Amino acid sequence: MRVLVVGSGGREHTLAWALQRSPEVDAVYVAPGNGGTHAVAQNVAIPAEDVRALTEFATHNAIDLVVVGPEAPLALGLVDVLQRAKVPVFGPTAAAARLESSKAFSKAFMVENNIPTAAYRSFTDYPSASAYLAGQHAPIVIKASGLAAGKGVIICQTMAEAEAALRSVMVERDFGAAGDEVIIEEYLTGQEVSVLAFCDGKTASPMILAQDHKAAYDGDKGPNTGGMGCYAPAAVMDTAQQQAVLEQVLQPVLRGMAAQGTPYVGILYAGLMLTPHGFKVLEFNCRFGDPETQVILPLLETSLAEVMLVCLNGTLDTLTLRWRPGAAVCVVLAAGGYPGHYRKHDLISGLDFAAAQPGVLLFHAGTTREDGAIYTAGGRVLGVTATAPDLHTAIHSAYAAAGMISWPDMHYRRDIGAKGLRGEA
Ligand code: AMP
Ligand code: GLY
């Protein structure tokens, strides 16, 4: 079969890599892809948000399966349009993707379906939001309801910060229309974990747990980023707790979405906080995580194409996911200055050496390829993944390979996976 992956980041490189390894798959296309995806797929120069051009490409090229990587095309209804064009597509419809694209929808849905989450109020006008905030205490969290590329969440340690954050979202409109509605939410503490599950509308099949490192600098310091690194499996919940997440979060989502006529098919990603009072959902994403994908898929033994097809057939209950033993770590190499302003178009050296290391997989993110050379083209530039029999060895291999790669101003965290080692002791 012929597969089209939509997107251009490390997640999409990993999806393309896993799909071309699937025995069912003959050809993989990536739109638009990046400087590394050509190694596993054919790049197609269509932006991920050009719903019309993607649909035309899929119909004219006899694509048997479209896999949508990022949230933006899902929110734009790419899945709905492809379904109308009779192109098989793995991902939720725009209505189902509201679990991510509208935090106001998602929070109300969680309350209706008794899914544990932080206490909150939502507002569409500034005076009411401001009056409510005045009666609250810091620390407190202000969130723009709409999609804001991971930047619409502001953790406020003081009330002055919270008032400024509310103004930035609702008055100065720093997040544009994403700030039409705002969430004011209870501040939670604890370890975070990403629970991703394949979903066929009725059944949720969870993957191994992954732990992202969202802060820019070591020790979880500095500004929030899209994710600076990840490891899996994360030993932060025992089997009973994981079963509780299935029964109290994932299954209620599928029941609730089906009940309102928007069945959920695709990847459901629950970002959880493990608080002293049990787990609570911080957010839902309606797609694979980045960089979670770069550690989860290298450990998935089952063919990714097979799982996706089974989800589209509604028979996920008949399939048991198989996982490779061992651990995986992904260290994200970023451009200096990221997540703030950063340079582009620096020549990257050492990629071939790094890729030749045993157990190492290089997943490109913000790169471009010109005359056979690879240049930086984004904030998160590369993901260096290593798999090994244990987490300690995987960390060692990933950092040994990362050390072989360089460009001016390259920046990466030195402590990816360290949380997992402490947990393992
Ligand atoms: P979200 O995009 O909603 O997952 O938020 C991004 C990050 O902000 C999360 O990964 C958490 O680190 C943090 N965060 C979000 N909501 C809360 C909360 N209620 N309490 C504490 N931290 C939060
Ligand atoms: N790694 C966080 C995300 O994909 O949203």
Side-chain angles (χ1 to χ4, degrees):
M1 61 193 253
R2 296 152 63 80
V3 182
L4 170 65
V5 176
V6 175
S8 63
R11 163 183 52 210
E12 287 77 22
H13 188 174
T14 315
L15 286 167
W17 169 84
L19 287 162
Q20 62 84 40
R21 285 159 53 105
S22 298
E24 299 82 357
V25 174
D26 304 306
V28 182
Y29 299 86
V30 191
N34 59 40
T37 46
H38 71 95
V40 292
Q42 196 172 315
N43 287 0
V44 179
I46 303 175
E49 289 160 40
D50 191 338
V51 171
R52 220 175 103 180
L54 290 168
T55 307
E56 266 168 30
F57 178 85
T59 47
H60 292 164
N61 291 276
I63 296 296
D64 302 294
L65 176 66
V66 177
V67 177
V68 187
E71 61 277 17
L74 295 167
L76 286 171
L78 176 59
V79 170
D80 310 61
V81 175
L82 285 166
Q83 283 176 348
R84 284 199 290 275
K86 303 271 182 283
V87 179
V89 51
F90 181 80
T93 59
R98 281 180 301 166
L99 279 176
E100 175 170 3
S101 64
S102 166
K103 287 189 192 291
F105 171 85
S106 171
K107 293 290 291 189
F109 178 88
M110 284 191 256
V111 171
E112 269 161 41
N113 291 278
N114 281 318
I115 295 170
T117 189
Y120 84 105
R121 290 279 302 272
S122 72
F123 298 93
T124 50
D125 71 287
Y126 176 71
S128 320
S130 177
Y132 171 77
L133 184 63
Q136 302 300 304
H137 302 281
I140 192 157
V141 183
I142 310 279
K143 299 184 174 184
S145 175
L147 291 181
K151 297 185 187 116
V153 174
I154 310 168
I155 312 285
C156 310
Q157 297 300 339
T158 65
M159 288 312 287
E161 276 172 42
E163 284 153 21
L166 188 63
R167 276 196 304 278
S168 109
V169 176
M170 297 200 92
V171 181
E172 287 133 36
R173 300 187 60 76
D174 289 343
F175 305 98
D180 284 348
E181 192 158 11
V182 79
I183 308 290
I184 301 180
E185 187 174 279
E186 167 197 16
Y187 174 77
L188 301 174
T189 55
Q191 285 223 65
E192 282 183 53
V193 62
S194 306
V195 183
L196 282 72
F198 291 100
C199 301
D200 72 350
K202 304 184 296 286
T203 301
S205 194
M207 305 183 209
I208 50 174
L209 303 178
Q211 213 168 21
D212 190 5
H213 298 59
K214 284 191 176 157
Y217 310 127
D218 287 9
D220 291 334
K221 300 275 186 324
N224 238 358
T225 71
M228 293 298 292
C230 215
Y231 74 94
V236 291
M237 283 194 283
D238 62 22
T239 318
Q241 285 170 308
Q242 292 181 53
Q243 182 64 23
V245 171
L246 180 64
E247 290 170 9
Q248 293 170 35
V249 178
L250 304 173
Q251 289 171 344
V253 168
L254 295 197
R255 278 199 301 270
M257 293 306 275
Q260 60 177 56
T262 55
Y264 195 95
V265 178
I267 300 299
L268 179 64
Y269 165 147
L272 301 184
M273 185 77 93
L274 307 179
T275 79
H277 313 289
F279 58 78
K280 300 210 170 162
V281 177
L282 290 173
E283 62 163 349
F284 286 121
N285 293 319
C286 54
R287 43 153 182 95
F288 274 103
D290 188 337
E292 285 88 342
T293 311
Q294 289 90 312
V295 292
I296 291 175
L297 291 186
L299 294 175
L300 177 64
E301 197 171 271
T302 313
S303 147
L304 180 61
E306 181 190 1
V307 189
M308 290 179 166
L309 292 175
V310 160
C311 287
L312 296 193
N313 290 335
T315 52
L316 186 56
D317 58 337
T318 63
L319 184 81
T320 304
L321 298 177
R322 292 185 314 278
W323 297 98
R324 298 196 170 86
V329 173
C330 175
V331 177
V332 170
L333 309 185
Y338 171 80
H341 181 75
Y342 54 82
R343 280 191 356 196
K344 286 186 186 172
H345 214 260
D346 281 313
L347 180 64
I348 307 175
S349 62
L351 292 172
D352 292 343
F353 280 125
Q357 302 307 303
V360 169
L361 295 161
L362 285 190
F363 294 119
H364 289 229
T367 70
T368 131
R369 183 162 167 265
E370 289 166 29
D371 300 327
I374 304 287
Y375 295 85
T376 65
R380 291 194 290 174
V381 175
L382 288 160
V384 182
T385 292
T387 58
D390 60 82
L391 180 59
H392 190 272
T393 315
I395 293 172
H396 184 80
S397 305
Y399 277 108
M404 296 173 182
I405 299 172
S406 69
W407 71 83
D409 273 354
M410 176 175 100
H411 158 71
Y412 58 94
R413 277 181 62 158
R414 313 282 159 160
D415 64 347
I416 303 300
K419 291 180 212 185
L421 287 182
R422 289 195 294 272
E424 267 181 12

